Amino acid sequence: MELKRAKKLNGAIAIPGDKSISHRAIMFGAISQGTTEVTNFLQGADCLSTISCFKKMGIEIENNESQVIVHGKGLHGLKKPSSPLDVGNSGTTTRLLSGILAGQPFSSTLDGDASIRQRPMKRIISPLTLMGADISSKKGNNCAPLIFHPSSLKGIRYDSPVASAQVKSCILLAGLYAEGGTSIKEPAPSRNHTELMLRAFGAKVISGDATAGVLPNPKLQGQHIQVPGDISSAAYFIAAGLLLPNSEILIKNVGVNPTRDGILKAAYAMGAKIKKENERTVSGEPVCDLFVSSSQLKGTEIAGDMIPTLIDEIPILAVMAAFAKGTTVIRDAEELKVKESNRIDTVTVNLKRMGANVTATKDGMIIEGGTPLHCAGFDSYLDHRIAMSFAVAALALDGPSTMKNGECVNISYPTFYQDLYDLAE
Ligand code: S3P
């Protein structure tokens, strides 16, 4: 597809619902008593995969676009699915659902697309096996398809080698079905939506800086969840507003949970002008509007405990770095290699196509900003965040760029191009 250029961006936009929170609202609603109403649910393909998996396990879910109603059946109310559960492209569905499936009194198989079949699942197979789960990888390669058989679980204290909210949430969800308490310690704090929302549904959850734990067998009760806008989706508009001269945009309803707001901290360090307005709390999550004005960006360092708070925003930060003055160093981000694509490779190759000076490293990349940039033929490698990042870059390049497989934005942001080009002048 052809990507558009723009002179500047102007106007206001309300960002669609948060992907992580939308998944969790469906899952926790399904294993609670009574109904859960979810407003501003993200109608992206990943979250729709979660809905279809729970429907296959006997949960009635009404999807009315603006509102989703989940008719929960309680912790022990799921039914054996009659065919494999299809998670599509969704890592969150795969790993969180695995925690739930490990505790069920029925066998099940979980499978997904070609990308999911390559993503590492040992990170959940190991702790679930320690809990007593009967989980195996069908092909013996520690990837999906995953097969679950009934077994009784016991709580563990798990020292996780990776800071991953998907791993943490998987273990906590299995912990609901275990005998005794379950806890997990991470090398750095990952996003805490599971802890916040499970507690709201009635679970006994303890949480510290990089630790979380649950007690088993809670009485979960359906809730009304208003999903905040996804800061990971807002990131593309933040970047576009900063990069295009004379732009001023208001990005409304953005979730700014401190375990997710690394993009703002990195952008401020790069000299970004972003004002937080109308700060409030929505369904237990901090939310605000962001007023973004074009800014001359400078290079920065992105590393350490900050990485989990902006892991999905590194592709767009790398694009910002290419337009910035000076050097940006991204370290400690090896996790980029196991996302929807190997994002060290897919970011680097696309940046080079537009003339940027970038060097891939073992755990990140080094970008020398300020080289002359030009329009290019980009490839999303079927990774939604790569497609959106380089569509933003294309706005500021000197001629028409193209994107191969750009439609994969439907994973997390089906109306992305329309929303972006509506603001363009
Ligand atoms: C997610 C956690 C992150 C993130 C993913 C969504 C979640 O993955 O990259 O897009 O909803 O828990 P990891 O926890 O594996 O880093």
Side-chain angles (χ1 to χ4, degrees):
M1 65 186 289
E2 191 153 311
L3 300 171
K4 297 207 168 104
R5 300 173 63 197
K7 285 204 182 68
K8 60 176 181 175
L9 289 197
N10 259 309
I13 175 173
I15 293 294
D18 186 276
K19 181 157 79 72
S20 295
I21 295 174
S22 295
H23 281 297
R24 285 158 173 81
I26 301 299
M27 294 185 184
F28 302 173
I31 58 170
S32 294
Q33 298 289 351
T35 54
T36 288
E37 288 163 31
V38 191
T39 45
N40 199 34
F41 175 80
L42 174 65
Q43 300 284 344
D46 271 10
C47 298
L48 297 178
S49 293
T50 289
I51 289 187
S52 87
C53 287
F54 280 90
K55 279 187 170 172
K56 264 196 178 169
M57 291 190 287
I59 303 296
E60 193 195 325
I61 302 174
E62 298 167 61
N63 187 350
N64 309 315
E65 288 286 323
S66 61
Q67 190 191 44
V68 174
I69 302 171
V70 184
H71 298 274
K73 292 243 170 83
L75 204 55
H76 302 285
L78 298 177
K79 291 231 169 59
K80 179 178 167 61
S82 55
S83 55
L85 296 165
D86 182 2
V87 301
N89 189 247
S90 174
T92 306
T93 314
T94 309
R95 298 198 178 107
L96 271 63
L97 186 54
S98 290
I100 295 174
L101 293 176
Q104 300 307 311
F106 52 76
S107 298
S108 55
T109 301
L110 176 159
D111 200 0
D113 69 7
S115 151
I116 277 294
R117 283 178 166 212
Q118 288 179 7
R119 294 184 67 185
M121 293 302 150
K122 187 159 183 227
R123 53 182 62 198
I124 56 161
I125 294 174
S126 296
L128 288 176
T129 304
L130 283 175
M131 294 177 82
D134 185 342
I135 169 175
S136 56
S137 152
K138 192 172 176 184
K139 296 184 177 164
N141 59 356
N142 285 315
C143 296
L146 299 175
I147 301 171
F148 299 82
H149 292 301
S151 68
S152 36
L153 304 184
K154 57 181 189 306
I156 55 167
R157 294 166 81 111
Y158 190 63
D159 213 340
S160 179
V162 29
S164 159
Q166 295 183 352
V167 171
K168 173 176 66 179
S169 305
C170 169
I171 295 169
L172 294 177
L173 287 167
L176 301 178
Y177 295 92
E179 202 188 305
T182 295
S183 65
I184 167 164
K185 184 168 172 288
E186 301 185 277
S190 64
R191 65 190 66 188
N192 66 354
H193 306 303
T194 294
E195 295 92 304
L196 295 177
M197 203 192 290
L198 260 187
R199 197 175 283 137
F201 275 81
K204 290 264 177 310
V205 180
I206 48 147
S207 49
D209 194 21
T211 54
V214 285
L215 291 179
N217 221 8
K219 272 210 163 54
L220 302 179
Q221 190 60 47
Q223 299 294 313
H224 177 197
I225 303 289
Q226 205 181 325
V227 182
D230 197 326
I231 190 166
S232 298
S233 300
Y236 306 104
F237 292 84
I238 295 172
L242 294 172
L243 292 180
L244 292 175
N246 306 314
S247 298
E248 277 191 341
I249 51 172
L250 180 66
I251 311 176
K252 293 189 283 190
N253 187 30
V254 183
V256 284
N257 181 315
T259 62
R260 292 283 300 282
D261 71 351
I263 172 74
L264 296 179
K265 294 188 175 122
Y268 289 135
M270 295 176 87
K273 285 182 253 164
I274 307 170
K275 262 190 267 159
K276 280 187 179 177
E277 295 176 354
N278 195 11
E279 292 187 57
R280 56 211 188 262
T281 302
V282 174
S283 289
E285 293 276 349
V287 171
C288 71
D289 303 335
L290 298 173
F291 187 78
V292 179
S293 344
S294 18
S295 311
Q296 173 58 59
L297 300 180
K298 58 178 191 286
T300 188
E301 183 171 307
I302 302 170
D305 285 5
M306 193 183 194
I307 294 293
T309 72
L310 47 64
I311 186 70
D312 291 340
E313 288 67 74
I314 291 178
I316 189 64
L317 280 163
V319 166
M320 288 159 62
F323 286 92
K325 277 200 180 121
T327 309
T328 293
V329 180
I330 300 169
R331 282 191 284 109
D332 307 318
E334 249 174 328
E335 276 295 298
L336 289 175
K337 293 182 184 168
V338 292
K339 294 297 178 187
E340 287 83 331
S341 67
N342 176 336
R343 289 183 180 158
I344 295 185
D345 289 352
T346 53
V347 168
T348 304
V349 73
N350 279 315
L351 280 181
K352 282 188 174 155
R353 284 178 180 142
M354 60 186 234
N357 180 352
V358 53
T359 311
T361 62
K362 66 172 190 349
D363 62 352
M365 58 197 93
I366 300 167
I367 300 152
E368 302 288 349
T371 53
L373 302 173
H374 50 76
C375 59
F378 297 115
D379 190 334
S380 72
Y381 300 96
L382 295 172
D383 182 337
H384 55 131
R385 302 213 185 276
I386 299 298
M388 292 188 276
S389 298
F390 287 90
V392 168
L395 289 174
L397 295 174
D398 61 354
S401 295
T402 56
M403 176 66 65
K404 189 171 169 198
N405 291 324
E407 70 290 345
C408 63
V409 302
N410 74 353
I411 289 294
S412 64
Y413 198 159
T415 57
F416 172 73
Y417 296 109
Q418 191 187 316
D419 287 0
L420 184 66
Y421 297 144
D422 275 356
L423 295 177
E425 286 180 21

